[in-house]
Amino acid sequence: MQSLLLADFFGSIAEIFSTGKYLNMLLQGLKTTLIVSVGAAAVGILLGSLVAVVRILPKKSKWMILPNLICSAYTTIIRGTPMALQLFIMAFVIFAIRGFPLELTAILAFGINSGAYVSENIRAGILSVDKGQTEAGRALGLSGAQTMLRIVIPQGMKNVIPAIGNELIALIKETSIVSMIGMYDLTQVAKILGSGQNLATYLAPMTVAALFYLAIVYLLTFGIRLIERRLRRSDNR
Amino acid sequence: MITANGIYKSFGKNEVLKGVSLNVEKGEKIAIIGPSGSGKSTLLRCLNLLEEVDYGEVWLEGGLLTQVDPYLHPEIIERSRTYRTLAEQLKTEGADEATLHDEIVAKIKRDDLLKRFEGKEYHAAIKQLYRENIVNINVARRSMGMVFQQFNLFHNMNVLGNMIYAPVKLKIFDKTTAIEKAKRLLERIGLPDKINDYPGSLSGGQKQRIAIARSLMMNPKIMLFDEPTSALDPEMVGEVLLLMKELADEGMTMVIVTHEMGFAREVATRVMFMDGGKIVEQGAPQKIFETPENDRLKDFLSKVL
């Protein structure tokens, strides 16, 4: 009985990879997931860095009050509301324009969401650098910007990279909710493959989708480790 | 060379400096001693503006580093509305014309009477004084070397990088000259083989000697030491003090906040004792250590010597 189930399972998997239509659907889903993830990661990191910079700059000047307020409102609101709701608002309110590419909507929704978390990660990383480092730089006559760029940020990055890695991993998996606005990503395709019209079993397509996610995340983790190792070369204590 | 006038500084409600003035002449070696919390380090950090002062001015070789403090300039006080009102009031009361001026200035200083807005003339005078004397703090800091208790070597750069980054970036030397100078300095402090090491692999004493060398790279005219040996293992204190003594013997102007009484006595030309945010007693080391006058100083010395 059990061997029969296993045979079924492997049979279905073989069917997915050998049937052109199924394989095509799967790859399309993978492509959507990757496009949304990579695009959102880029938007998120850019936006997050920008917001982090604004929030770290000294708050004394009156020109910094408004940007600071906007940025802290942004992180508060984005981190305080559900991702799915933000996605709906993007798709059905802000970009409810006929013909507006869904991919772009999703990229912006996830990017803006991710930016809030990334900015907090960067801010925390930079604040974690000992104040003495800034003081030493300033005492040598370097300007605030020179000290920040060449002394504080490189050291803060060491603490930021693992946190951003975490955020990116969460982001990739979170993109699975794009099916809620009618996109066909890896998760949605797996669901369709499992339906009665196709394989009539969910186990095999879901397993395949899971393995795809796992592979992406594993590759990402590996890349982040490499970057971390490079950055940590200097503190051989 | 460096002058601080009437420095006040508080952190929140904690008043750390309560009107400290100090004048350092070229070649002087000033040791600042005192119990913890007396404001020694804060005073030193105010000299190169790592702490912004609340009141008071810091001058470096005729250049103003801080904001103008109107209370220090009678000629500015004279132009204030408060001064004029007080003058009229006292005149009608029939005050003596000769001492009137000094009296009002003293009263304004004592009672902190200057307001935010004191009339056009007054603000113009402040602005003029500021414009004529202000120097860029980043430029001024190049001639003031600072050595920290926690060394504060840049962890993301090796020893050479630590030493040449600022002088090259600020175009004081080109890179080859800077490297040569760094090598000479490392040779001098006895650490030429550490040139490519990262700070993480050095001992405390080595770090502090390199931190001193890093400051010397800028050819400073004055060196500020903020408890340079307090974070060191006892066996490493000697090597750092020796280097500082060598610097002193070469004629470097130095201000040293320290708990090393022996060093203060041997090297300093003037010793200042601070307590409760004020300089309580100062003078030649012999006088301070052998015939102290202030009770608080006597008490302090009896505990540390």
Short mmCIF file of all heavy atoms in Angstrom, two decimals, chain A residues 15-29 193 212:
data_model
loop_
_atom_site.label_atom_id
_atom_site.label_comp_id
_atom_site.label_asym_id
_atom_site.label_seq_id
_atom_site.Cartn_x
_atom_site.Cartn_y
_atom_site.Cartn_z
N GLU A 15 5.55 13.24 -13.96
CA GLU A 15 4.57 13.78 -14.92
C GLU A 15 4.72 15.29 -15.05
O GLU A 15 4.66 15.84 -16.14
CB GLU A 15 3.17 13.42 -14.44
CG GLU A 15 2.15 13.48 -15.57
CD GLU A 15 0.75 13.18 -15.08
OE1 GLU A 15 0.62 12.53 -14.01
OE2 GLU A 15 -0.21 13.61 -15.74
N ILE A 16 4.93 15.96 -13.88
CA ILE A 16 5.09 17.42 -13.92
C ILE A 16 6.25 17.81 -14.81
O ILE A 16 6.15 18.69 -15.66
CB ILE A 16 5.33 17.98 -12.50
CG1 ILE A 16 4.08 17.82 -11.63
CG2 ILE A 16 5.72 19.46 -12.57
CD1 ILE A 16 4.31 18.19 -10.17
N PHE A 17 7.39 17.10 -14.61
CA PHE A 17 8.59 17.51 -15.33
C PHE A 17 8.62 17.02 -16.77
O PHE A 17 9.38 17.52 -17.57
CB PHE A 17 9.84 17.03 -14.59
CG PHE A 17 10.13 17.87 -13.37
CD1 PHE A 17 9.81 17.42 -12.11
CD2 PHE A 17 10.70 19.14 -13.53
CE1 PHE A 17 10.05 18.21 -11.00
CE2 PHE A 17 10.94 19.93 -12.43
CZ PHE A 17 10.62 19.47 -11.16
N SER A 18 7.78 16.02 -17.07
CA SER A 18 7.84 15.50 -18.45
C SER A 18 6.74 16.08 -19.33
O SER A 18 6.86 16.05 -20.54
CB SER A 18 7.75 13.96 -18.43
OG SER A 18 6.56 13.59 -17.76
N THR A 19 5.68 16.59 -18.70
CA THR A 19 4.62 17.18 -19.52
C THR A 19 4.96 18.63 -19.81
O THR A 19 5.15 19.43 -18.89
CB THR A 19 3.27 17.13 -18.77
OG1 THR A 19 3.14 15.85 -18.17
CG2 THR A 19 2.12 17.39 -19.71
N GLY A 20 5.04 18.95 -21.08
CA GLY A 20 5.43 20.31 -21.48
C GLY A 20 4.54 21.37 -20.85
O GLY A 20 5.03 22.37 -20.33
N LYS A 21 3.25 21.14 -20.85
CA LYS A 21 2.30 22.14 -20.35
C LYS A 21 2.53 22.42 -18.86
O LYS A 21 2.63 23.56 -18.42
CB LYS A 21 0.88 21.62 -20.57
CG LYS A 21 -0.20 22.57 -20.13
CD LYS A 21 -1.56 21.91 -20.27
CE LYS A 21 -2.45 22.31 -19.11
NZ LYS A 21 -3.50 21.30 -18.85
N TYR A 22 2.68 21.34 -18.08
CA TYR A 22 2.88 21.48 -16.64
C TYR A 22 4.21 22.19 -16.34
O TYR A 22 4.28 23.11 -15.51
CB TYR A 22 2.86 20.12 -15.93
CG TYR A 22 1.51 19.44 -15.97
CD1 TYR A 22 1.39 18.08 -15.73
CD2 TYR A 22 0.35 20.17 -16.24
CE1 TYR A 22 0.16 17.45 -15.77
CE2 TYR A 22 -0.89 19.55 -16.27
CZ TYR A 22 -0.97 18.21 -16.04
OH TYR A 22 -2.19 17.59 -16.07
N LEU A 23 5.23 21.70 -17.04
CA LEU A 23 6.56 22.26 -16.80
C LEU A 23 6.56 23.74 -17.12
O LEU A 23 7.11 24.57 -16.39
CB LEU A 23 7.60 21.52 -17.66
CG LEU A 23 9.06 21.86 -17.33
CD1 LEU A 23 9.40 21.44 -15.90
CD2 LEU A 23 10.01 21.19 -18.31
N ASN A 24 5.90 24.07 -18.22
CA ASN A 24 5.82 25.46 -18.65
C ASN A 24 5.13 26.32 -17.59
O ASN A 24 5.62 27.41 -17.23
CB ASN A 24 5.05 25.52 -19.96
CG ASN A 24 5.59 26.61 -20.85
OD1 ASN A 24 6.58 27.26 -20.48
ND2 ASN A 24 4.96 26.82 -21.99
N MET A 25 4.02 25.80 -17.07
CA MET A 25 3.28 26.54 -16.03
C MET A 25 4.17 26.76 -14.81
O MET A 25 4.24 27.86 -14.24
CB MET A 25 2.04 25.76 -15.60
CG MET A 25 0.85 25.93 -16.53
SD MET A 25 -0.42 24.71 -16.20
CE MET A 25 -1.07 25.31 -14.65
N LEU A 26 4.87 25.70 -14.45
CA LEU A 26 5.72 25.75 -13.26
C LEU A 26 6.81 26.82 -13.44
O LEU A 26 7.08 27.64 -12.55
CB LEU A 26 6.35 24.38 -13.04
CG LEU A 26 6.89 24.11 -11.65
CD1 LEU A 26 5.78 24.11 -10.62
CD2 LEU A 26 7.62 22.77 -11.63
N LEU A 27 7.43 26.80 -14.63
CA LEU A 27 8.51 27.75 -14.87
C LEU A 27 7.97 29.18 -14.93
O LEU A 27 8.62 30.12 -14.45
CB LEU A 27 9.25 27.41 -16.17
CG LEU A 27 10.08 26.12 -16.09
CD1 LEU A 27 10.76 25.83 -17.43
CD2 LEU A 27 11.13 26.21 -14.98
N GLN A 28 6.78 29.33 -15.49
CA GLN A 28 6.15 30.66 -15.49
C GLN A 28 5.93 31.16 -14.07
O GLN A 28 6.18 32.31 -13.74
CB GLN A 28 4.80 30.61 -16.24
CG GLN A 28 4.92 30.67 -17.76
CD GLN A 28 5.61 31.94 -18.24
OE1 GLN A 28 5.39 33.02 -17.67
NE2 GLN A 28 6.46 31.82 -19.25
N GLY A 29 5.46 30.23 -13.22
CA GLY A 29 5.22 30.59 -11.81
C GLY A 29 6.52 30.98 -11.14
O GLY A 29 6.59 32.00 -10.43
N LEU A 193 -1.87 23.08 -10.50
CA LEU A 193 -1.40 21.77 -10.95
C LEU A 193 -2.05 20.65 -10.16
O LEU A 193 -2.29 19.55 -10.68
CB LEU A 193 0.12 21.67 -10.81
CG LEU A 193 0.97 22.41 -11.84
CD1 LEU A 193 2.44 22.16 -11.58
CD2 LEU A 193 0.59 21.97 -13.25
N PHE A 212 11.48 24.27 -4.75
CA PHE A 212 11.94 25.45 -5.50
C PHE A 212 12.22 26.61 -4.54
O PHE A 212 13.27 27.24 -4.62
CB PHE A 212 10.87 25.86 -6.54
CG PHE A 212 11.01 25.14 -7.86
CD1 PHE A 212 11.33 23.79 -7.89
CD2 PHE A 212 10.81 25.82 -9.05
CE1 PHE A 212 11.46 23.13 -9.09
CE2 PHE A 212 10.95 25.16 -10.27
CZ PHE A 212 11.26 23.81 -10.29
#
